[in-house]
Amino acid sequence: GAGVSQTPSNKVTEKGKYVELRCDPISGHTALYWYRQSLGQGPEFLIYFQGTGAADDSGLPNDRFFAVRPEGSVSTLKIQRTERGDSAVYLCASSRNGQSLSGYTFGSGTRLTVV
Amino acid sequence: TQLLEQSPQFLSIQEGENLTVYCNSSSVFSSLQWYRQEPGEGPVLLVTVVTGGEVKKLKRLTFQFGDARKDSSLHITAAQPGDTGLYLCAGVLLYNQGGKLIFGQGTELSVKP
């Protein structure tokens, strides 16, 4: 597609529930990134995919968070046993090859609210 | 501890004024980018700087990368209400494989008519 698409745009869930957030990157972009942004703060890195593999998952806060990209295109961020502290905007970005000079394009994000 | 310290965090000015936003670190970056983000949207790339001492201009915006590639600044001349938004600096650490971006905390700019 023309841009990075994230669905849903908003998600409200109850504490303890499981959620999945989807990212559809720009066609042909091999690198895909997930970030989390709290209100008024800069995005915080979660995980980076190069193709189908997670090249760097050092930003995932704990084992409740998991992400996949089985075919090297669409990615899903999965959060188990959600907690109120997980409430944030989850941003996805893609780039042509993971090099900063090729530029990053961000989606509009999924606003997750855990009540 | 924030790897990229951005200041100020909030800035409220009148239309026509000039302003500068700073981004500082003790680490060396292979490249540094500036983004602008509006409510409900993702960050939009404004510029990428890669060479120490590099200066880039984008209309009324001037971006500079420090000689040692540890800091950067964004200067806006004659700010307009349309410049209102969250400005973010983000860098890729030297020797980092994969282009992971480290973001600053952001500067919330409000330009009043």
Side-chain angles (χ1 to χ4, degrees), chain B residues 76-97:
Chain B
I76 301 179
T77 303
Q80 298 177 0
D83 295 328
T84 294
L86 179 68
Y87 288 82
L88 295 158
C89 64
V92 177
L93 287 169
L94 192 64
Y95 307 124
N96 173 257
Q97 300 298 315

Side-chain angles (χ1 to χ4, degrees), chain A residues 1-110:
Chain A
V4 177
S5 175
Q6 289 189 248
T7 54
S9 53
N10 279 284
K11 175 73 177 176
V12 180
T13 190
E14 291 181 348
K15 179 173 175 294
K17 298 288 188 184
Y18 167 82
V19 296
E20 288 190 353
L21 312 179
R22 176 187 167 109
C23 173
D24 203 338
I26 290 174
S27 179
H29 279 193
T30 62
L32 184 148
Y33 307 81
W34 284 99
Y35 289 83
R36 178 169 70 173
Q37 186 175 26
S38 299
L39 190 63
Q41 299 294 314
E44 175 189 22
F45 171 79
L46 295 177
I47 186 169
Y48 154 59
F49 287 90
Q50 183 61 258
T52 61
D56 183 348
D57 64 357
S58 61
L60 293 178
N62 52 60
D63 61 6
R64 295 187 298 105
F65 288 74
F66 189 70
V68 295
R69 196 186 184 199
E71 297 178 0
S73 178
V74 171
S75 176
T76 305
L77 178 65
K78 308 179 181 200
I79 310 175
Q80 298 177 322
R81 304 182 305 280
T82 51
E83 300 177 356
R84 292 198 177 88
D86 298 335
S87 296
V89 174
Y90 289 81
L91 292 166
C92 176
S94 70
S95 76
R96 191 178 310 278
N97 55 16
Q99 299 301 313
S100 62
L101 292 181
S102 68
Y104 304 86
T105 302
F106 280 83
S108 297
T110 294

